[in-house]
Amino acid sequence: MTSETLVTAAVKAQVKAPSEGLSETLSEAELAQQPIAYWTHVAHEKVVAFIRGELAAVGLSQPQYWTLRHLSVDDLSEDGSGRTVEELTEAMRDYLAPQDDLGPDTEDMVVRGLLTRDEAGRLTITEAGVAAHARVKEQVPAVRATIHAGIDDGDYATTVRVLRRMMRNVEERRPD
């Protein structure tokens, strides 16, 4: 057995399946022993799947919505001058998933009339794209409310502070 297999087996022995663990009431001591990497991974997967499902219901993938955000002067674009697929990919590199490919996503948006592409390959948002962006932005508060249901702002802020501290802890320990 490799060390990775041993660690995986140890984590599985410690943690119940997510469907069991989410509904179970654990003591403070039991929660404090839960592996953070496992739970942040599970939370990430579930939240992203939920968000992507909500966007799919309005006809967009998450990368397509991000593209609209980056091209909209009402959001992340400073001047509306447009960007190439490469520039958009670079701007989104920190949150694109490995399977996300802006090439086909943006081509689909051009075909649907949400974007135009000039002879230099720069993409700009159209009136239809602005309308699609606005429709999604109207839904963002309801999506956020669903994700945050039952969690007060103080607990949420504490969670974010704790996760940020954990990231700093491991970054500080990383050898150069």
Side-chain angles (χ1 to χ4, degrees):
M1 231 182 218
T2 67
S3 62
E4 185 175 318
T5 306
L6 288 172
V7 169
T8 301
V11 167
K12 286 181 180 178
Q14 269 186 319
V15 180
K16 295 185 182 293
S19 59
E20 294 173 28
L22 292 176
S23 62
E24 184 178 331
T25 303
L26 298 175
S27 71
E28 190 84 9
E30 290 169 317
L31 285 171
Q33 296 304 310
Q34 293 291 300
I36 193 64
Y38 174 82
W39 286 110
T40 55
H41 173 76
V42 171
H44 171 80
E45 293 292 320
K46 287 185 176 292
V47 171
V48 168
F50 173 74
I51 291 168
R52 287 184 179 224
E54 294 294 301
L55 286 167
V58 296
L60 292 171
S61 69
Q62 192 173 38
Q64 287 174 327
Y65 176 59
W66 291 332
T67 299
L68 292 176
R69 291 195 68 206
H70 281 274
L71 296 176
S72 174
V73 292
D74 295 328
D75 205 333
L76 298 175
S77 176
E78 291 179 17
D79 59 10
S81 64
R83 292 183 173 187
T84 64
V85 170
E86 293 77 20
E87 291 168 335
L88 288 163
T89 300
E90 176 61 23
M92 297 180 221
R93 75 177 184 282
D94 290 339
Y95 44 91
L96 283 172
Q99 72 272 14
D100 295 336
D101 184 352
L102 292 184
D105 275 334
T106 55
E107 184 58 35
D108 174 64
M109 295 170 78
V110 168
V111 169
R112 292 170 46 200
L114 302 175
L115 304 177
T116 59
R117 181 182 290 112
D118 68 16
E119 55 282 340
R122 296 186 74 73
L123 297 159
T124 55
I125 193 168
T126 65
E127 296 270 339
V130 169
H133 175 260
R135 279 192 304 275
V136 174
K137 278 190 85 164
E138 287 174 6
Q139 295 179 348
V140 167
V143 170
R144 185 181 192 283
T146 299
I147 294 167
H148 289 242
I151 303 166
D152 68 42
D153 288 347
D155 286 344
Y156 181 79
T158 297
T159 301
V160 172
R161 276 193 299 275
V162 167
L163 291 171
R164 290 175 63 161
R165 178 56 200 218
M166 287 180 172
M167 291 185 297
R168 282 193 312 272
N169 288 347
V170 298
E171 287 170 358
E172 291 169 1
R173 297 287 308 236
R174 191 180 308 160
D176 291 333

